[in-house]
Amino acid sequence: MKNSMNSILTLQDISISFGGIKAVNQLSLDVRNQEIFAIIGPNGAGKTTAFNIISGLYRAQAGSILFSGTDITNLLPHQIAHLGMGRTFQNLELFTLMSVEDNLMAARHMHTKTNFWNELIRNKKVKDEEEQNRKKVHEILSFLNLGEVANKKVTDLGFPIQKRVELGRALALEPKLLLLDEPAAGLNFVETAELSELIKSIRGDLGITVLLIEHDMSMVMSISDRIIVLDYGKEICLGVPEEIQNDARVVEAYLGKRDSHA
Ligand code: ATP
């Protein structure tokens, strides 16, 4: 399989079941370079499971995934991250007792080429690399407007800032593709608007492709180039925001669920 021209991520007939539940059922999709692509759908539609398969946390039981020209179907999460895929989680996964800067440095160390013995001797190469890492981290912190809290412990910061730190940690890996799992969850209207601008600038200024899961429909509709709607692990609709908004199958999927919070 090859990525079609201009696409960075291709899923072909991906499936996974848990017990009798087909959480993702023959899902195919193609994310183009530098687009903002959203996955939406009612609760339990299989969105996070799809993310877990793409990022290597779960192994698909069928189908294949190509990322930036490499077959990643059977790779492990750290191997996929090394190929240039960053990710944030629904629940923040930060080192809360470490500073903001050190959280990003920790992520950066995945990129460090020097080995343990060099590290021990702290030779010039190690020091140079450390300096470069710190420079990159400072660039990212200032891009995210986090410069002022760089030395603060994560635990001392408010939730919206912590969410931005998590974004910073994913960006520290200098990914080509960034997966965001419900980035607006827990944010108020103003914070969500700021986040939308930030995501657009991650794509526009940093040239990073963004794949996101989101329940905040106004955000999804305003920032996404294309949207796929899942229900019961399957695609029910794919298109630009206007097409999705006007599709009867989408309305049906959402209204059909009593407990959907979308
Ligand atoms: P939400 O919007 O609520 O986060 P979602 O679209 O992300 O939902 P998933 O979390 O991917 O949905 O879940 C899809 C289905 O797979 C659900 O029926 C869920 O209960 C089931 N499922 C997901 N992960 C597991 C697991 N590790 N073990 C068993 N069942 C699972």
Side-chain angles (χ1 to χ4, degrees), residues 126-241:
V126 174
K127 280 190 196 140
D128 286 352
E129 207 155 78
E130 191 77 355
E131 212 167 287
Q132 277 167 22
N133 281 336
R134 207 164 289 278
K135 198 166 153 237
K136 190 73 213 171
V137 162
H138 285 169
E139 270 171 39
I140 294 164
L141 290 176
S142 94
F143 173 80
L144 294 172
N145 243 327
L146 289 171
E148 282 183 14
V149 296
N151 297 319
K152 290 229 156 97
K153 256 193 258 165
V154 167
T155 186
D156 294 336
L157 302 168
F159 179 71
I161 310 270
Q162 290 184 346
K163 286 202 89 155
R164 233 178 315 142
V165 177
E166 211 205 3
L167 202 49
R169 211 190 45 171
L171 289 176
L173 295 171
E174 296 181 73
K176 298 178 208 152
L177 174 68
L178 184 61
L179 271 54
L180 305 175
D181 195 348
E182 295 197 33
L187 300 184
N188 67 27
F189 181 76
V190 174
E191 291 155 358
T192 301
E194 283 169 4
L195 176 70
S196 297
E197 288 311 308
L198 197 54
I199 293 175
K200 285 197 262 179
S201 142
I202 286 172
R203 184 267 298 276
D205 299 330
L206 305 182
I208 295 172
T209 308
V210 177
L211 176 61
L212 81 152
I213 296 174
E214 187 48 68
H215 281 290
D216 184 319
M217 283 307 133
S218 61
M219 178 184 175
V220 166
M221 294 301 164
S222 72
I223 68 169
S224 308
D225 296 307
R226 290 190 302 148
I227 299 167
I228 189 168
V229 189
L230 302 187
D231 199 16
Y232 299 109
K234 270 182 141 17
E235 171 189 325
I236 56 168
C237 189
L238 169 73
V240 299

Side-chain angles (χ1 to χ4, degrees), residues 17-19 21-24 40-50 52 58 90 181-182 213 215 230 233 261:
S17 302
F18 300 108
I21 298 168
K22 289 181 174 171
V24 173
I40 66 169
N43 298 125
K47 305 178 294 294
T48 297
T49 304
N52 287 341
Y58 294 168
Q90 263 180 43
D181 195 348
E182 295 197 33
I213 296 174
H215 281 290
L230 302 187
H261 60 261

Side-chain angles (χ1 to χ4, degrees), residues 39 65 81 94 172 217 254:
I39 304 180
I65 310 173
L94 292 165
M217 283 307 133
Y254 277 100

